[in-house]
């Protein structure tokens, strides 16, 4: 196995990102009662504005990230990894790569949110050093907000 790579997404990969989001997030529909927000991302706009990245393993796309500079922080709007590649350390790799991007852009922190019903994510982000900063219902979703100082 080669080292994973997080690289800019191409417009031709929008369909992959939509499918990856569907596969990664559909398990949460029963918990949330509707499609999670990442399943409704405008990947065309994210790609056109250079906010989308593709995670590759052994030359194959296995995940994606949508992230951008927002005020003094690098905001991770959403990430997803194909179910067959989850649990292999790729999520940690992707978050470390996003942290490196944040530093290179001069961000002082990384911010993100996840749905409260995605309890696995709450533990995951805490294990990476993120601190919970808020919890709000936005757009009908119960969101937990996190920040990690760089």
């Amino acid at each position: 196995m080669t080292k994973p790579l997080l690289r800019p997404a191409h417009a031709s990969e929008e369909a992959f990102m939509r499918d990856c989001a569907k596969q990664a997030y559909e398990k949460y529909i029963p918990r949330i009662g509707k499609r999670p927000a990442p399943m409704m991302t405008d990947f065309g706009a994210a790609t056109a504005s250079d906010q989308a990245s593709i995670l590759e393993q052994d030359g194959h796309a296995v995940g994606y990230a949508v992230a951008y500079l927002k005020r003094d922080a690098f905001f991770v709007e959403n990430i997803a990894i194909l179910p067959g590649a989850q649990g292999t350390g790729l999520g940690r790799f992707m978050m470390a790569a996003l942290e490196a991007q944040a530093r290179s852009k001069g961000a002082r922190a990384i911010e993100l949110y996840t749905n409260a019903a995605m309890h696995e994510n709450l533990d995951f982000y805490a294990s990476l050093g993120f601190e919970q900063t808020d919890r709000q219902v936005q757009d009908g979703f119960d969101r937990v907000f996190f920040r990690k100082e760089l």
Side-chain angles (χ1 to χ4, degrees), residues 68-75 105-109 111 145 147:
Y68 50 88
L69 201 56
K70 182 178 177 181
R71 298 181 310 274
D72 70 332
F74 196 59
F75 182 70
K105 294 178 183 295
R108 295 185 8 211
E111 295 179 338
F145 294 79
R147 181 175 170 101

Side-chain angles (χ1 to χ4, degrees), residues 3-147:
K3 183 178 178 186
L5 169 71
L6 187 67
R7 61 158 177 81
H10 306 293
S12 62
E13 294 170 309
E14 292 171 34
F16 165 76
M17 289 184 281
R18 275 191 301 278
D19 184 57
C20 183
K22 179 182 182 299
Q23 289 187 51
Y25 287 97
E26 67 186 351
K27 67 183 176 189
Y28 297 114
I29 294 172
R31 287 191 210 173
I32 297 171
K34 59 183 172 180
R35 291 177 11 166
M39 292 177 76
M40 297 174 273
T41 299
D42 182 344
F43 292 107
T47 303
S49 60
D50 297 323
Q51 296 176 352
S53 300
I54 295 292
L55 178 65
E56 285 187 359
Q57 177 71 60
D58 296 325
H60 301 285
V62 295
Y64 74 85
V66 175
Y68 50 88
L69 201 56
K70 182 178 177 181
R71 298 181 310 274
D72 70 332
F74 196 59
F75 182 70
V76 178
E77 184 173 302
N78 75 69
I79 64 170
I81 296 174
L82 292 172
Q86 292 175 8
T88 64
L90 289 172
R92 288 185 180 280
F93 171 84
M94 184 160 31
M95 290 304 297
L98 290 169
E99 185 172 324
Q101 283 183 21
R103 289 180 191 281
S104 74
K105 294 178 183 295
R108 295 185 8 211
I110 298 179
E111 295 179 338
L112 56 86
Y113 60 76
T114 190
N115 193 289
M118 298 178 185
H119 51 81
E120 307 92 336
N121 294 346
L122 302 176
D123 295 338
F124 175 66
Y125 294 125
S127 77
L128 296 177
F130 284 83
E131 293 184 12
Q132 183 176 330
T133 59
D134 199 4
R135 183 170 175 168
Q136 299 177 27
V137 174
Q138 287 184 332
D139 303 322
F141 295 101
D142 185 5
R143 293 180 171 160
V144 180
F145 294 79
F146 289 91
R147 181 175 170 101

